[in-house]
Amino acid sequence: MSHRISRRTFLSIIAAVAVAPACAPRPRKHRLGIALGGGGARGIAHIPMLEVLDELQIRPYRIAGTSIGAIMGALYASGLSSAAIRDLIDRLTVSKHEKWSDALFRKDVMRWLSFLDPTLARGGLLDSTDFLKFLRDTIQRDSFEELDIPLKVVAADFWKREQVVFESGELFPAIKASMAIPGLFVPVKHRGHVLVDGSMVNPVPYDLLLKECDVVVAIDVLDTRSAGPDDTPSYLETTFNSFQIMQAAIVREKLQRQAPEVYIRPELENIRVLDFYKADEIYLQARAGQDLLRRRLRRLFHL
């Protein structure tokens, strides 16, 4: 039996083989993980980064968060848009004319801080129960399993000095633990642990997403600080900035070992943990980081 083919058929096959690689779609990386770091009021800078995801219509596959990053992550994972989160924060933050030190214990001038009650409990100055109730009423979710996007929340075991990651079961005890800044909030007892702020062990938990996602974005909201006329820091400045020194060292070590595809550290400067009255300034300072994230994601996702 003859297996000869016509000249026209042969040329058609050659042409198809030659053109196929050029016409085949490039592989599209689609499983995006985003890690939102801790930093108190500096976490407001997460909102412009989430706005980029909404703008580019990129839905995260996984989210990981520490402290304020856990709060922002829970809001976004529950289905709230970045615009809704910005509106929520803008309605809750204290006025730009108020200082956090004045607002801390004055409920008549507090907005979001009105949810944080002074406490005489051992181990902290503030109780976050009312704030967590407000957050629960906003999110309308009680467990990790009810979230639209899977979320990992990082806390630190106070006695074992190690990371504890929550991704199932009750949502709000995990968030409460993750945001429990030592000395400010009362440590949280949950699932056999005594827990404090996750920034103590993992300030930007992108490493929790590396095995599950094609592209991992890490948002680090640590700021830079400059000394005033008197370069001797106050008690609170010493306490909170010492935390940042430790957190910056942890992040540097992690980046040397294994960096994410995208690492964004907005150029935040002189924003203290409770400077929520500086929301407008934080948005402005975060703009360059937002633009960088937009460019990087467009390149990675061929947008």
Side-chain angles (χ1 to χ4, degrees):
M1 178 182 296
S2 173
H3 294 283
R4 296 178 61 187
I5 59 176
S6 69
R7 174 182 175 84
R8 177 176 296 178
T9 301
F10 175 76
L11 292 176
S12 297
I13 293 173
I14 295 298
V17 171
V19 173
C23 294
R26 288 182 292 178
R28 182 184 177 93
K29 296 180 177 180
H30 61 280
R31 296 191 305 175
L32 173 75
I34 184 165
L36 306 177
R42 295 183 296 274
I44 291 175
H46 288 313
I47 297 174
M49 310 307 156
L50 297 176
E51 288 174 346
V52 171
L53 300 185
D54 287 348
E55 173 191 332
L56 299 180
Q57 298 184 336
I58 299 175
R59 176 186 170 90
Y61 179 70
R62 295 282 189 274
I63 301 174
T66 293
S67 196
I68 186 70
I71 295 171
M72 293 294 182
L75 288 167
Y76 198 67
S78 72
L80 290 178
S81 68
S82 58
I85 298 173
R86 180 188 278 252
D87 180 67
L88 177 70
I89 297 301
D90 288 349
R91 286 188 286 112
L92 292 180
T93 51
V94 298
S95 164
K96 65 178 67 177
H97 303 297
E98 297 164 356
K99 293 183 178 180
W100 70 269
S101 55
D102 295 329
L104 184 56
F105 293 110
R106 290 173 50 204
K107 285 197 171 186
D108 58 318
V109 298
M110 286 193 279
R111 293 192 177 92
W112 86 271
L113 288 174
S114 68
F115 298 104
L116 304 177
D117 295 320
T119 179
L120 297 178
R122 187 170 65 181
L125 299 175
L126 298 175
D127 182 359
S128 60
T129 299
D130 286 347
F131 174 72
L132 269 295
K133 182 180 183 301
F134 166 78
L135 194 62
R136 190 264 167 217
D137 291 342
T138 301
I139 291 177
Q140 294 291 306
R141 306 285 196 279
D142 289 311
S143 69
F144 284 88
E145 288 79 7
E146 295 177 76
L147 296 173
D148 294 350
I149 301 171
L151 173 69
K152 299 175 188 287
V153 169
V154 178
D157 187 301
F158 183 83
W159 295 114
K160 294 183 179 179
R161 303 173 183 175
E162 62 186 20
Q163 172 177 270
V164 180
V165 180
F166 298 99
E167 53 187 316
S168 63
E170 294 180 283
L171 176 63
F172 292 99
I175 294 176
K176 186 175 184 178
S178 185
M179 63 176 280
I181 300 173
L184 189 60
F185 293 104
V186 178
V188 175
K189 294 182 179 181
H190 183 51
R191 295 188 188 176
H193 303 276
V194 176
L195 301 163
V196 294
D197 194 309
S199 295
M200 300 296 101
V201 288
N202 199 344
V204 190
Y206 67 84
D207 51 299
L208 303 181
L209 304 173
L210 292 172
K211 292 182 179 179
E212 300 176 87
C213 302
D214 301 315
V215 173
V216 173
V217 172
I219 308 298
D220 183 354
V221 293
L222 292 179
D223 70 343
T224 58
R225 307 306 303 273
S226 57
D230 179 4
D231 61 1
T232 302
S234 66
Y235 171 77
L236 289 177
E237 183 76 10
T238 299
T239 301
F240 292 135
N241 201 41
S242 294
F243 290 155
Q244 284 206 72
I245 293 171
M246 177 191 68
Q247 292 160 17
I250 293 172
V251 173
R252 281 195 299 269
E253 180 65 24
K254 285 178 57 180
L255 290 172
Q256 289 177 0
R257 290 176 177 271
Q258 187 171 19
E261 283 78 10
V262 180
Y263 171 76
I264 303 292
R265 182 176 174 181
E267 296 178 5
L268 304 177
E269 184 176 0
N270 294 326
I271 305 294
R272 292 173 294 187
V273 170
L274 296 177
D275 280 352
F276 286 90
Y277 71 98
K278 292 184 177 180
D280 291 342
E281 184 177 342
I282 293 169
Y283 290 135
L284 183 62
Q285 291 186 12
R287 188 171 296 169
Q290 181 187 38
D291 291 341
L292 176 59
L293 177 61
R294 183 182 293 110
R295 293 195 300 271
R296 294 295 305 276
L297 289 180
R298 279 178 172 167
R299 187 179 305 119
L300 285 167
F301 285 82
H302 313 303
L303 298 174

